[in-house]
Amino acid sequence: MALLRVGRMGRLRDINDQISLMVKQKILRAYEQMAKKYDELIDHKPHNAYYDRPTTLQLIGDVAGKNILDAACGPGKYAEILMAAGAQVTGFDVSPTMVELAKARNHGKGHFFVHDLSERLADLADETFDIIVCALALHYIEDWTVTMQEFFRLLKAGGKLVISIEHPFSEYQYYQSKKYFEIEHVHTDWRGFGGSIEVHCYRRSLTDCLMPLIKAGFQLEEILEPKPTEEFEKLDPRHYQELMNFPAFLCLKAVKVR
Ligand SMILES: C[S@@+](CC[C@H](N)C(=O)[O-])C[C@H]1O[C@@H](n2cnc3c(N)ncnc32)[C@H](O)[C@@H]1O
């Protein structure tokens, strides 16, 4: 009986692994498909330029002389801003096209490579970075355990992790979830990056957003629920009103205290 149960559990694990792999492939395909358009729009796309970035950059603070890891860097917009402010930046992304666009945008400055956020970064030494930023990407990862352990290992003592994520309350509402406490695989259609693109991700509870950081050893220092800027209002007044009354993103700063 015990052997049979182990067999069934093993098979279930295999099936779950296969589903996770399929989801990962769908996410990669979506970003490969939209990468060029994403790069063209990223400078002024309201949710990025006038909602996420002002708040996330506020949490990052002064970066002159700092060594920064941009995890899931996309087309390298954060890297561009951070290097212009005097930082050295290493960035990675799962999408090879995004990595090429990050290199092109930054004209040979910075170091960019293809890597999956959920895997260990074995080539990078302990305590390499002063700051790690991971903007709008963690919802593509089912299990944040390894990612947070790696972020903790790679930061110097006193180093900062700054993340922006989809707000768990907004996702719960948007996906009309009935299972707040579960980590749910969900998907939606994006129409803002050239045609309709099916984007898959994982929604989770507030606890499941915060505890992986705390378990990895981080101390939470600041939490911001962004408000859109005036530029946002000019470009997209309807979403401006919505975002002034209910948050879509959540930005966090955590510190490696030891
Ligand atoms: C919404 S974009 C954000 C890009 C960038 N951080 C920014 O804010 O401009 C999400 C990025 O996450 C990347 N991504 C998705 N899954 C990933 C994974 N498993 N590992 C690394 N990057 C991933 C996508 O390719 C995409 O570039």
Side-chain angles (χ1 to χ4, degrees):
M1 262 322 255
L3 267 180
L4 186 65
R5 268 208 301 273
V6 168
R8 266 193 206 137
M9 291 300 285
R11 271 201 299 281
L12 254 183
R13 255 199 313 274
D14 285 349
I15 291 168
N16 283 337
D17 287 351
Q18 278 174 26
I19 293 171
S20 300
L21 188 63
M22 276 165 48
V23 174
K24 209 172 255 195
Q25 286 165 347
K26 285 180 178 178
I27 294 167
L28 173 60
R29 218 176 299 134
Y31 272 101
E32 281 291 283
Q33 202 180 330
M34 76 176 98
K36 286 205 175 71
K37 198 78 189 160
Y38 193 98
D39 178 54
E40 278 168 37
L41 297 177
I42 191 74
D43 291 345
H44 299 289
K45 185 100 175 135
H47 280 82
N48 299 83
Y50 307 120
Y51 188 57
D52 167 56
R53 283 205 297 273
T55 312
T56 302
L57 288 167
Q58 182 187 328
L59 289 179
I60 293 173
D62 182 19
V63 299
K66 304 286 186 200
N67 199 14
I68 301 183
L69 177 66
D70 183 358
C73 61
K77 183 63 196 178
Y78 268 99
E80 183 186 12
I81 295 169
L82 296 170
M83 286 195 279
Q88 293 109 50
V89 176
T90 300
F92 70 81
D93 199 280
V94 76
S95 153
T97 307
M98 286 293 198
V99 169
E100 286 312 309
L101 290 164
K103 286 180 185 170
R105 174 181 285 272
N106 288 290
H107 310 290
K109 279 173 70 191
H111 172 58
F112 299 96
F113 58 95
V114 175
H115 180 78
D116 180 342
L117 195 52
S118 59
E119 306 278 336
R120 297 208 181 270
L121 283 148
D123 291 344
L124 295 177
D126 295 2
E127 311 211 338
T128 298
F129 297 102
D130 301 292
I131 299 169
I132 297 178
V133 56
C134 185
L136 302 178
L138 282 162
H139 51 296
Y140 299 117
I141 302 295
E142 187 172 9
D143 183 346
W144 293 7
T145 312
V146 170
T147 311
M148 290 304 155
Q149 284 169 353
E150 281 297 86
F151 286 169
F152 192 82
R153 178 184 74 77
L154 291 169
L155 276 174
K156 297 173 187 172
K160 291 190 282 197
L161 169 66
V162 176
I163 66 172
S164 60
I165 56 176
E166 305 253 350
H167 199 298
F169 302 163
S170 148
E171 283 193 311
Y172 179 71
Q173 215 178 46
Y174 180 80
Y175 291 109
Q176 301 184 346
S177 175
K178 299 273 180 286
K179 302 170 184 171
Y180 175 74
F181 293 106
E182 289 190 16
I183 295 178
E184 281 183 294
H185 166 218
V186 290
H187 63 85
T188 185
D189 270 359
W190 283 8
R191 292 171 190 278
F193 295 100
S196 155
I197 299 177
E198 193 176 77
V199 179
H200 291 245
C201 63
Y202 297 93
R203 64 141 296 276
R204 69 199 71 218
S205 66
L206 180 60
T207 302
D208 283 327
C209 293
L210 301 182
M211 285 314 290
L213 281 78
I214 292 165
K215 280 188 185 157
F218 284 107
Q219 193 171 298
L220 284 176
E221 198 176 80
E222 202 171 346
I223 297 184
L224 291 176
E225 291 169 305
K227 295 257 179 72
T229 64
E230 283 171 13
E231 289 92 333
F232 193 121
E233 186 177 22
K234 284 180 208 142
L235 292 172
D236 187 348
R238 183 172 70 84
H239 283 118
Y240 175 86
Q241 281 311 324
E242 279 179 26
L243 292 171
M244 287 301 283
N245 292 310
F246 196 77
F249 297 163
L250 182 65
C251 302
L252 309 173
K253 176 162 71 176
V255 178
K256 176 173 177 173
V257 280
R258 59 187 158 82

